[in-house]
Amino acid sequence: MNGKLNAKRPVVDFHCDVLCKMQLDSKVDFSHPSLDVTKERLLAGHVRLQTFAIYISQVLGTPRFEHIVRQIELFRQHVVSSSGGLRPLLWREDLAEQDEQAEKPKHLDGNGADQTDSPWALLSLEGADALEGNPLYVELCYAIGIRLIGLTWNHANWAADGIMEPRGGGLTRKGRELVKRSNELGLLLDVSHLSVQGFWEVLEEATLPPIASHSNAFAVCSHPRNLRDDQIRALIACDGRIGLTFVTMFIKEQGTVTAEDLLPHIEHICALGGARHMMFGSDFDGIERHVQGLEHPGKYPEFAELLLKHYPEELVTGWLGGHALHYLQTNLPSKRSF
């Protein structure tokens, strides 16, 4: 694949767990060999935008707001610092300004690299546990750059039940207040990890279309974390997005998993009418066992070639990044409203 063709297909990846790894090991920086996601690999994979999730590991004990603050510090020190080289994405205007810059003469650094080509970095919160039920903390998260929030990880917290919680409850009273305040602020909502009941309650109460940042099709692989057909149809109907993920157990129930094993999920979502609502949320650095051929973001060009063997250019371009970028350009808050 040549560089000119790659430039036509920028990649957006809606989920990775780099920040959690950094929090758990002070020796890990953004170029550490233990990471799936590094700037070098993002550039090799033509990733225009990477979402960095703030996930508070259970090994840290009771989640507290200071844990969120620490991961934001790591994000600033290592990812969007001069050494990390990524640019924080906060506003819909940022993406529009980037499109305008693409038409202007390039600004090269001392090494001949285009300074306007650095990937964007978007902050998300995976699980509201560490917000401690405090509305002020929600507002602080928005003020310091978080733009996407998932109410739960797999289990129950003060806001809602996660998908692995046996009782399968929905939102709590405080959870509904969190959704309401997110609506008011312009925080986007992520339904991956939510219980089925919680999913439907978020869709009912959200004023902006939610996304499932890293979930696959339950009809293809019956892992509880995957989306049922009626959930997929509902996200399509509200113009949300579905980020197909590279977690092997969400792709195929057993055996070796290759990049081609994602194709049945793509086919199924297309059959439900979601050809223009798919994107990718790899879960790199949260993956214990990697898909063969999709071990890190530098493999996206090879994955693009695989997709192009089966689907037209327009669809592949949309799945790799176009649909995600359109969603953000439409639904991110405007800096004029801040």
Side-chain angles (χ1 to χ4, degrees):
M1 178 185 295
N2 64 57
K4 185 176 181 181
L5 287 176
N6 279 331
K8 292 167 56 181
R9 291 192 292 270
V11 174
V12 174
D13 188 321
F14 245 86
H15 194 86
C16 79
D17 284 317
V18 166
L19 301 179
C20 179
K21 281 190 172 179
M22 289 182 178
Q23 186 174 36
L24 295 179
D25 187 346
S26 62
K27 296 188 292 294
V28 174
D29 60 19
F30 195 41
S31 61
H32 198 273
S34 68
L35 293 179
D36 300 332
V37 176
T38 63
K39 183 181 180 183
E40 181 180 11
R41 286 175 168 173
L42 292 175
L43 292 174
H46 303 274
V47 178
R48 182 177 177 187
L49 188 155
Q50 176 68 60
T51 297
F52 291 81
I54 296 173
Y55 167 69
I56 309 304
S57 172
Q58 294 172 305
V59 305
L60 295 173
T62 301
R64 300 187 302 275
F65 188 66
E66 66 187 71
H67 294 140
I68 294 177
V69 173
R70 176 56 183 152
Q71 289 201 26
I72 292 173
E73 289 176 348
L74 291 167
F75 178 75
R76 291 179 171 175
Q77 291 169 5
H78 296 286
V79 177
V80 297
S81 63
S82 57
S83 59
L86 273 62
R87 296 170 295 165
L89 178 62
L90 299 174
W91 314 108
R92 68 180 64 169
E93 289 89 352
D94 293 337
L95 293 173
E97 290 168 5
Q98 170 64 13
D99 288 338
E100 293 173 5
Q101 287 295 326
E103 302 301 322
K104 296 180 179 180
K106 303 299 184 184
H107 299 281
L108 304 181
D109 63 19
N111 298 317
D114 179 9
Q115 294 174 312
T116 65
D117 277 350
S118 293
W120 291 105
L122 180 71
L123 270 177
S124 69
L125 179 62
E126 185 176 23
D129 308 58
L131 295 176
E132 303 178 37
N134 189 334
L136 177 59
Y137 289 163
V138 182
E139 297 179 20
L140 286 173
C141 282
Y142 177 79
I144 56 184
I146 291 173
R147 290 295 178 264
L148 176 68
I149 181 170
L151 274 66
T152 68
W153 188 58
N154 284 336
H155 309 299
N157 61 22
W158 60 267
D161 276 9
I163 190 62
M164 305 305 286
E165 188 66 34
R167 67 186 173 188
L171 306 184
T172 66
R173 178 181 58 81
K174 282 194 171 184
R176 291 181 184 274
E177 292 172 359
L178 172 59
V179 171
K180 180 181 178 182
R181 189 62 186 128
S182 297
N183 290 338
E184 293 167 348
L185 290 168
L187 271 170
L188 302 170
L189 294 167
D190 183 357
V191 295
S192 283
H193 285 292
L194 261 178
S195 67
V196 173
Q197 181 65 28
F199 172 97
W200 291 112
E201 291 176 359
V202 165
L203 257 68
E204 180 181 336
E205 307 224 0
T207 57
L208 293 170
I211 68 164
S213 64
H214 56 307
S215 297
N216 294 338
F218 184 85
V220 177
C221 178
S222 57
H223 191 284
R225 271 276 286 104
N226 285 339
L227 298 169
R228 282 67 174 172
D229 285 0
D230 56 349
Q231 294 176 303
I232 293 170
R233 290 191 185 98
L235 287 170
I236 293 167
C238 72
D239 202 27
R241 295 292 185 270
I242 300 157
L244 295 184
T245 188
F246 305 159
V247 180
T248 57
M249 68 183 73
F250 301 168
I251 298 172
K252 188 176 172 182
E253 293 176 6
Q254 57 186 356
T256 301
V257 180
T258 69
E260 288 203 6
D261 290 317
L262 275 162
L263 300 184
H265 293 272
I266 292 172
E267 288 286 335
H268 188 75
I269 294 173
C270 285
L272 296 174
R276 302 191 181 281
H277 296 82
M278 273 185 284
M279 58 184 188
F280 293 105
S282 65
D283 209 358
F284 284 137
D285 289 298
I287 296 174
E288 296 180 2
R289 187 164 63 97
H290 290 82
V291 175
Q292 289 187 5
L294 278 171
E295 294 85 359
H296 56 75
K299 297 287 189 175
Y300 268 117
E302 296 175 26
F303 185 45
E305 291 291 355
L306 169 64
L307 293 174
L308 286 167
K309 291 177 181 178
H310 300 274
Y311 304 102
E313 172 88 24
E314 179 190 7
L315 287 180
V316 173
T317 299
W319 299 336
L320 289 173
H323 299 154
L325 290 171
H326 180 72
Y327 174 86
L328 292 170
Q329 287 166 337
T330 303
N331 295 300
L332 275 177
S334 168
K335 66 175 66 174
R336 292 188 292 270
S337 67
F338 185 68

